[in-house]
Amino acid sequence: MKSIRRHLILILTLSVTALLAVSGVLVWTLVRQGLVDQFDTALLARARILTDNIEEDDREIQIDKNLLHQKDPERAMSEALWEVTRADGTSLLHFAPGSGRRLPDIRPSPPNGEPMFYATTMGLGVPARAVSLRFDAKDDKPGLYKNLTLVTALPAPELTRTLRSLALVLLGTGGAAVVLLIPLLKAALRRGLQPLADLAQATAGIDAGKLDTRLDAQSVPEELQPVVSRLNALLERLETSFVRERRFSSDVAHELRTPVAELRSLAEMVANWPAEATPAAFADVRAIAREMEDIVNSLTLLSRAEAGTQPVDLTEVSLTALVQDALDRATPGATAKGHHFVLHLAEVTAPTDATLWKMILVNLIGNAVDHAPPGSTITVELTPTAFTVSNPAPDLSQEDLPRLFDRFWRKESSRTGYGHSGLGLALVSSLASLLGLRPAAGLTADHQLRLGLPLLLPPPDPGPPSRPQKCHPTAR
């Protein structure tokens, strides 16, 4: 299983190791360059002393022999090996005393006259540094010894040992640092990742019964605050979902208790008195079953709407035609109660979901038909900015308006018949929210209930104003 701690330890260890390696190489390179430059400066000084003391005498090239036995403050000249050659490689002078010592390999200096330094050996594997330098012999009036090359070398074992010791020190120090770094990293990461362990412990105690728990985003490090915020948002969504499911189950149980009891009573009556199995009794059974079916369908649709899982299909729709269709469906019920409609319908089209609008209109108009007193006038108005249904509501008060869109709310405390589950306006509110709309309720001074739905649509081109239409519900 992948571990963040192990991964961080590995990455940090490799990174620090690479950094130490690069730093060690850089330090070694700088120190080496400084020592080599210092050594080469002394070597070049000796080479120039030699070139200044090589001269032509009687058509022969000579060097002051006393120079070979003088001691300078830092190193005896006799320790140096040197050779003078012509341009064609012919040796003119050389000096290589001592057993096993030999002259370094000859490397001509560049034509521009600049000295050329290089590493070599003086025999028996003794490391050395050499310099190649072009010069002309002194007092060479015949011009016999022009463009000569002097190669001189000095043993450099101390330089090699110093650099080797420095490399070992850097390597040992870096290795020790890496070894000590690993436990320090483990301790630091254990402490640094402790908030993650605390967060895991805090979330471990949250179950379905504690979804109202929220994690404290201020007590965690800044890096974990987005995670805690997302967890809190997730817990809020889960709590809402669980509350919705519990509410759905409670609503179903509450609303189906009465119709189930009525069905049971009818069944027991028919079982005990078979003669009572009349068409009227079965009509009651059918009505109860239809009510139960409507309740379950409405609750299911309401649950999908509140959860946001109800699909929304936007197409160009004639709202006027949808309103007229909803009026046609409400006509039989309105006729039975002696209602009549007053219509103010403008031609309105909009990109919306026709199915959702049908259910909204059916429930709004159906609510007016079902709850208005017999023989009422129901006003239905459609404009480019709103849809409104008005009907008399003598039993309602201003205090009732905020509860109109609640589930199962009824003004009366007892059931008055089949078909009034109290879900219609709650369904209107949830379906309207899917379309980005919010229904509103108002009560006029003469107790006219106005249920409105703002359309939030751009106004169409101005046309002739619509005229009020007063019509009997049986005529379209």
Side-chain angles (χ1 to χ4, degrees), residues 11-21 177-178 181 185:
I11 293 298
L12 291 175
T13 302
L14 292 177
S15 300
V16 172
T17 301
L19 181 61
L20 290 175
V178 171
L181 177 67
L185 281 177

Side-chain angles (χ1 to χ4, degrees), residues 78-118:
S78 59
E79 292 185 12
L81 278 70
W82 54 269
E83 184 174 8
V84 177
T85 62
R86 292 185 182 274
D88 60 2
T90 303
S91 179
L92 297 178
L93 294 172
H94 68 275
F95 181 79
S99 174
R101 307 178 76 191
R102 61 177 177 80
L103 290 171
D105 53 320
I106 305 299
R107 298 184 187 181
S109 62
N112 59 8
E114 292 294 324
M116 182 179 66
F117 299 93
Y118 55 95

Side-chain angles (χ1 to χ4, degrees), residues 314-399:
L314 299 181
T315 57
E316 197 69 21
V317 176
S318 171
L319 296 182
T320 308
L322 293 180
V323 172
Q324 191 63 65
D325 182 64
L327 288 168
D328 292 342
R329 295 183 60 180
T331 293
T335 301
K337 291 191 173 184
H339 300 325
H340 63 273
F341 296 118
V342 174
L343 309 180
H344 299 270
L345 304 181
E347 288 293 334
V348 179
T349 59
T352 187
D353 189 302
T355 301
L356 297 184
W357 261 100
K358 285 179 183 178
M359 289 185 282
I360 291 173
L361 294 172
V362 166
N363 280 282
L364 284 176
I365 297 174
N367 180 78
V369 171
D370 292 339
H371 296 286
S376 298
T377 297
I378 300 174
T379 303
V380 179
E381 183 178 3
L382 175 65
T383 69
T385 58
F387 171 78
T388 307
V389 178
S390 302
N391 63 275
D395 296 333
L396 288 181
S397 63
Q398 292 291 340
E399 291 75 15

Side-chain angles (χ1 to χ4, degrees), residues 26-86:
L26 181 62
V27 169
W28 185 87
T29 301
L30 292 176
V31 172
R32 177 186 179 279
Q33 188 63 44
L35 293 176
V36 169
D37 288 345
Q38 183 180 3
F39 192 93
D40 289 348
T41 299
L43 181 61
L44 180 61
R46 289 165 175 75
R48 294 199 183 280
I49 292 175
L50 288 172
T51 57
D52 289 342
N53 286 274
I54 295 176
E55 58 184 14
E56 182 268 337
D57 187 14
D58 292 335
R59 306 181 70 85
E60 293 185 358
I61 187 170
Q62 296 180 356
I63 186 171
D64 186 356
K65 294 183 179 180
N66 293 327
L67 182 66
L68 303 180
H69 303 289
Q70 291 179 355
K71 308 286 186 179
D72 72 18
E74 296 183 3
R75 187 187 301 271
M77 286 297 298
S78 59
E79 292 185 12
L81 278 70
W82 54 269
E83 184 174 8
V84 177
T85 62
R86 292 185 182 274

Side-chain angles (χ1 to χ4, degrees), residues 291-312:
E291 181 187 11
M292 294 171 64
E293 181 182 14
D294 290 342
I295 291 173
V296 172
N297 290 338
S298 296
L299 283 173
T300 302
L301 180 58
L302 189 59
S303 179
R304 289 203 303 263
E306 291 179 348
T309 58
Q310 175 66 29
V312 178

